[in-house]
Amino acid sequence: ITGITSDNPGEFTYEWIRNDGESDSVITGAGTATYTLSANDVGKTVKLRVSSANYSGKLTSEGVSVGKATPSNLEFTSSETATYNGNTVTVVATGANENTNAITYSIESGTGEATVNADSGEITVTKAGTFTVTATKAASTTYSGQSAQQTLTVNKGTPDDFRSEERRVGKEGRS
């Protein structure tokens, strides 16, 4: 804030103010020239009011709207390909650690068919092919939500070692 230009303004008093869209309230404990935003400020407007010991009146800054912070990137760390073997495939996404909400998973079938456990990312494949897997972290009170997508290709597998029994047919036609 600029505006007090006297050679002797005296001591300044600082009041940080939070507005919730309806009313102003002085932020308790914020009586210095600097203020570090907190989770309580998200979605609100914060402004500074300054007064001088030697002058009447107060100067008030323009308000600054405080939005949610953007967490680090959410990204997949698992392989983009797998081979169908009748078992499950697990996808893993990491990141956005500042946001403590859990990562949830969803799947859209492409040329293949599968289901996914929303909490663990474990995919049960019923038909080899491609899938789009989405990992999502919902917004918290201080961080915006994020999502990431990965195309997973599950290639056709080969049957496990299949042993055919040799059948002998006897004279009577029995096996």
Side-chain angles (χ1 to χ4, degrees):
I1 293 178
T2 58
I4 298 177
T5 57
S6 169
D7 291 336
N8 185 16
E11 186 176 323
F12 290 110
T13 303
Y14 302 94
E15 289 182 304
W16 288 92
I17 299 161
R18 183 182 299 126
N19 182 288
D20 62 6
E22 295 187 15
S23 62
D24 287 345
S25 60
V26 174
I27 301 171
T28 305
T32 63
T34 60
Y35 171 68
T36 301
L37 298 171
S38 73
N40 295 329
D41 301 318
V42 175
K44 310 222 176 31
T45 300
V46 175
K47 56 189 171 182
L48 172 62
R49 184 181 305 149
V50 180
S51 58
S52 166
N54 292 337
Y55 292 94
S56 61
K58 296 178 182 183
L59 295 173
T60 304
S61 70
E62 292 292 321
V64 176
S65 295
V66 181
K68 291 184 179 188
T70 302
S72 58
N73 288 336
L74 180 63
E75 57 192 11
F76 282 91
T77 57
S78 51
S79 176
E80 295 179 359
T81 60
T83 301
Y84 180 75
N85 62 6
N87 294 325
T88 58
V89 176
T90 301
V91 292
V92 178
T94 61
N97 295 331
E98 306 88 348
N99 178 344
T100 57
N101 286 336
I103 297 173
T104 58
Y105 298 89
S106 62
I107 191 166
E108 292 178 29
S109 292
T111 60
E113 295 175 5
T115 58
V116 66
N117 179 308
D119 297 324
S120 69
E122 184 177 83
I123 298 172
T124 302
V125 179
T126 55
K127 178 183 170 190
T130 61
F131 312 90
T132 300
V133 182
T134 302
T136 303
K137 233 181 197 191
S140 69
T141 56
T142 52
Y143 287 94
S144 58
Q146 280 196 331
S147 64
Q149 288 190 324
Q150 176 178 336
T151 299
L152 174 65
T153 301
V154 178
N155 298 310
K156 291 180 180 180
T158 57
D160 291 333
D161 294 331
F162 178 74
R163 296 183 185 184
S164 61
E165 288 186 24
E166 189 174 315
R167 294 183 174 191
R168 297 185 183 201
V169 179
K171 291 183 182 177
E172 295 142 17
R174 291 183 281 155
S175 58

